[in-house]
């Protein structure tokens, strides 16, 4: 089935009411038939609903649908993109171990990896996403994950996905890829050999800036990579916190199973059923929206490239762009609504951002309304100069998240904002 069709139907079987829209199961808990039924659910002898911190029928549809769209076999919804990223790493690494991650990352991910996880004893070792060979000098027997973004936010680079996957597979390391910006409509990393995809559902998935959420998706091939792999002993040895369960032996996708049984159980950052429902609504139109976002962004990038005040434009599908080869290979349908451009200074950038009328000054992306941001003064303000340079953020850089307004109206707004 095509993704466009899965987006409307995957994961939902109508109940006796024949409800066309997926129902919102707004509930904390579920009644068991009897004590034996309850015991069977807890022992995984039978699968079913226990408590909404572990599973929920509305969230289940969101998970199954996103899994289908990403070409995966299981998914786990979370209360934010950050919690999805945290769970993906916490599911693989513990104190004394390390992860390798691309330097070009979302600001929150940089601080999570570089500061918060450090306090948990997990070391993040950064490499330039364009230099997969750097992995050879960073990897050791304590490495537990390789993390990168398909389209990086905010630097808008396109990862050399196959080269990074090949490196990871040579060392038997799980790859975790943030596919928030590309979405499965533009790129399906699991089909390129990536093991785990994570998303912020707060962006293109909801599509209208309605709710914070996240999701992780597991590939079918991930189980084999975890099995008997000395890097992932905790998937292969009995878990004393779950009566000796060995995750790879259950016959269910082990990465998602462990994330649900251990991490959701103990940390509990689950989406509300209502938010899962909003994400389901968003997915229905995702493929149409991504096509339009991408087309308008390309036209705006072409306009900006001709503008005398603009020093450089960063949109991966411009032939002048350093990511053009990767973008043509991995993003043939479009490169999303995210683009950035650079003017001469911090001050000029501030002036332009303040003058736009149709673009809203918002630290978000992926809304159907167009957004403008100045990363150096907002999302990346907490990074030091060195971290800024590594994240590919210049002082005069302006980032646009091109929405679904008429393209010419957006260009007209930029024309007036760029005037002296
Ligand atoms: C927004 C974003 C996140 C964080 O997601 P939240 O839902 O805001 O927690 C992670 N990665 C990328 C690429 C993002 O754009």
């Amino acid at each position: 089935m095509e993704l466009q069709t899965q987006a409307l139907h995957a994961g939902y079987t109508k109940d006796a009411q024949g409800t066309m829209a997926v129902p919102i199961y707004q509930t904390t808990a579920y009644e068991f038939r009897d004590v034996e039924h309850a015991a069977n659910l807890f022992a995984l002898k039978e699968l079913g609903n226990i408590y909404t911190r572990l599973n929920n029928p509305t969230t289940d549809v969101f998970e199954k649908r996103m899994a289908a769209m990403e070409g995966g076999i299981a998914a786990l919804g979370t209360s934010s993109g950050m919690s999805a990223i945290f769970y993906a790493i916490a599911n693989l690494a513990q104190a004394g171990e390390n992860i390798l991650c691309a330097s070009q990352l979302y600001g929150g991910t940089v601080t999570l990896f570089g500061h918060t996880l450090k306090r948990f004893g997990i070391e993040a070792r950064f490499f330039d996403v364009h230099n997969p060979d750097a992995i050879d000098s960073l990897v050791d027997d304590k490495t537990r994950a390789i993390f990168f973004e398909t389209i990086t936010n905010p630097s808008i680079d396109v990862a050399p996905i196959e080269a990074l996957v090949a490196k990871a597979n040579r060392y038997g390391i799980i790859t975790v890829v943030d596919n928030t910006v590309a979405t499965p409509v533009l790129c399906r990393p699991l089909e390129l050999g990536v093991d785990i995809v994570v998303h912020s559902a707060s962006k293109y998935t909801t599509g209208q800036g309605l709710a914070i959420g996240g999701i992780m998706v597991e590939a079918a091939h991930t189980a084999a990579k975890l099995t008997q792999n000395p890097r992932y002993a905790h998937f292969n040895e009995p878990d004393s916190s779950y009566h000796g369960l060995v995750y790879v032996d259950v016959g269910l996708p082990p990465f998602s199973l462990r994330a649900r049984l251990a991490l959701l159980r103990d940390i509990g950052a689950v989406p509300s059923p209502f938010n899962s429902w909003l994400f389901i609504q968003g997915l229905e139109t995702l493929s149409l929206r991504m096509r339009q976002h991408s087309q308008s962004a390309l036209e705006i990038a072409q306009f900006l490239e001709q503008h005398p005040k603009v020093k450089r434009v960063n949109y991966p599908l411009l032939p002048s762009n350093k990511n053009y080869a990767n973008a043509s290979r991995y993003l043939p349908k479009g490169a999303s609504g995210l683009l950035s451009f650079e003017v001469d200074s911090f001050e000029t950038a501030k002036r332009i951002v303040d003058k736009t009328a149709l673009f809203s000054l918002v630290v978000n992306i992926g809304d159907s309304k167009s957004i403008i941001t100045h990363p150096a003064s907002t999302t990346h303000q907490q990074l030091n100069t060195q971290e800024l340079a590594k994240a590919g953020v210049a002082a005069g850089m302006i980032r646009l998240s091109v929405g679904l307004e008429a393209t010419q109206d957006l260009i007209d707004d930029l024309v007036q904002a760029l005037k002296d």
Side-chain angles (χ1 to χ4, degrees):
M1 218 188 276
E2 295 281 324
L3 176 144
Q4 194 173 336
T5 310
Q6 290 169 333
L8 293 150
H9 297 287
Y12 178 50
T13 313
K14 292 185 194 72
D15 64 12
Q17 311 295 334
T19 319
M20 281 297 280
V22 175
I24 305 172
Y25 288 93
Q26 191 69 50
T27 183
T28 305
Y30 310 84
E31 187 180 22
F32 307 118
R33 288 193 301 273
D34 50 30
V35 173
E36 192 189 348
H37 178 220
N40 283 345
L41 291 180
F42 276 89
L44 300 179
K45 284 185 190 147
E46 224 179 295
L47 297 179
N49 300 319
I50 296 177
Y51 188 66
T52 285
R53 173 148 44 76
L54 295 170
N55 46 10
N56 174 276
T58 308
T59 300
D60 187 60
V61 175
F62 171 47
E63 292 169 342
K64 289 203 166 84
R65 195 160 291 184
M66 194 57 127
M69 291 170 73
E70 282 284 5
I73 49 161
L76 186 92
T78 58
S79 61
S80 67
M82 290 317 303
S83 55
I85 294 168
F86 174 71
Y87 283 163
I89 300 303
N91 213 17
L92 295 168
Q94 64 179 357
E97 298 176 341
N98 66 73
I99 59 169
L100 310 186
C101 39
S103 309
Q104 296 89 340
L105 287 181
Y106 177 69
T109 310
V110 173
T111 47
L112 170 67
F113 288 177
H115 300 272
T116 302
L117 287 185
K118 194 174 173 185
R119 290 177 56 86
F120 285 33
I122 297 169
E123 183 199 353
R125 300 177 178 173
F126 293 92
F127 62 90
D128 180 347
V129 75
H130 296 297
N131 183 17
D133 288 340
I135 288 172
D136 294 324
S137 58
L138 296 174
V139 75
D140 62 24
D141 61 359
K142 297 279 185 210
T143 304
R144 296 293 177 263
I146 294 180
F147 185 99
F148 57 94
E149 298 173 0
T150 39
I151 302 179
T152 67
N153 176 16
S155 68
I156 320 179
D157 285 288
V158 182
I161 302 173
E162 287 155 301
L164 291 164
V165 166
K167 284 283 177 205
N169 285 345
R170 180 172 318 156
Y171 296 107
I173 297 170
I174 296 286
T175 41
V176 180
V177 169
D178 185 335
N179 201 33
T180 299
V181 179
T183 82
V185 173
L186 303 179
C187 181
R188 308 221 293 174
L190 302 181
E191 288 175 352
L192 299 165
V194 164
D195 298 300
I196 304 296
V197 157
V198 290
H199 277 276
S200 166
S202 327
K203 314 293 170 58
Y204 286 117
T205 302
T206 163
Q208 293 164 292
L210 298 177
I212 299 284
I215 193 161
M216 62 164 86
V217 186
E218 174 174 359
H221 56 254
T222 308
K225 215 165 150 183
L226 290 168
T227 305
Q228 307 273 305
N229 186 337
R231 292 188 193 271
Y232 307 107
H234 58 300
F235 279 91
N236 292 279
E237 290 167 0
D239 181 352
S240 58
S241 85
Y242 212 99
H243 51 64
L245 192 75
V246 177
Y247 292 104
V248 297
D249 290 348
V250 179
L252 293 169
F255 189 91
S256 306
L257 183 69
R258 187 180 184 279
R260 191 180 298 280
L261 296 187
L263 298 176
L264 280 189
R265 178 194 63 190
D266 299 349
I267 309 172
V270 281
S272 88
F274 181 71
N275 285 358
S276 295
W277 181 82
L278 289 174
F279 301 138
I280 292 166
Q281 309 318 305
L283 290 181
E284 290 200 356
T285 55
L286 187 65
S287 56
L288 287 174
R289 286 187 285 111
M290 291 316 291
R291 254 175 272 167
Q292 184 62 47
H293 282 297
S294 301
Q295 192 187 319
S296 291
L298 180 60
E299 284 174 38
I300 289 172
Q302 287 161 342
F303 154 76
L304 287 168
E305 210 173 29
Q306 308 300 323
H307 199 285
K309 267 221 182 133
V310 174
K311 276 169 63 185
R312 81 178 60 83
V313 180
N314 186 12
Y315 191 68
L317 280 172
L318 286 177
S320 61
N321 194 276
K322 68 170 187 236
N323 292 285
Y324 186 68
N326 285 345
S328 308
R329 184 167 178 81
Y330 299 124
L331 306 167
K333 293 188 205 141
S336 90
L338 209 59
L339 70 95
S340 67
F341 62 101
E342 208 180 313
V343 291
D344 62 2
S345 67
F346 190 92
E347 287 309 316
T348 310
K350 264 178 68 178
R351 210 168 42 244
I352 291 167
V353 171
D354 284 338
K355 271 178 81 179
T356 52
L358 209 42
F359 285 87
S360 307
L361 172 57
V362 170
V363 285
N364 190 16
I365 57 165
D367 197 317
S368 45
K369 283 84 68 184
S370 288
I371 287 170
I372 192 164
T373 359
H374 182 219
S377 64
T378 54
T379 49
H380 285 60
Q381 193 195 67
Q382 281 120 47
L383 304 193
N384 62 38
T385 319
Q386 209 181 354
E387 286 173 325
L388 273 182
K390 271 194 190 166
V393 177
M397 180 178 134
I398 293 170
R399 187 187 66 185
L400 302 180
S401 170
V402 176
L404 301 177
E405 298 91 345
T407 317
Q408 192 57 51
D409 287 335
L410 295 173
I411 291 176
D412 290 347
D413 193 28
L414 290 169
V415 167
Q416 67 80 22
L418 281 155
K419 278 208 186 103
D420 287 319

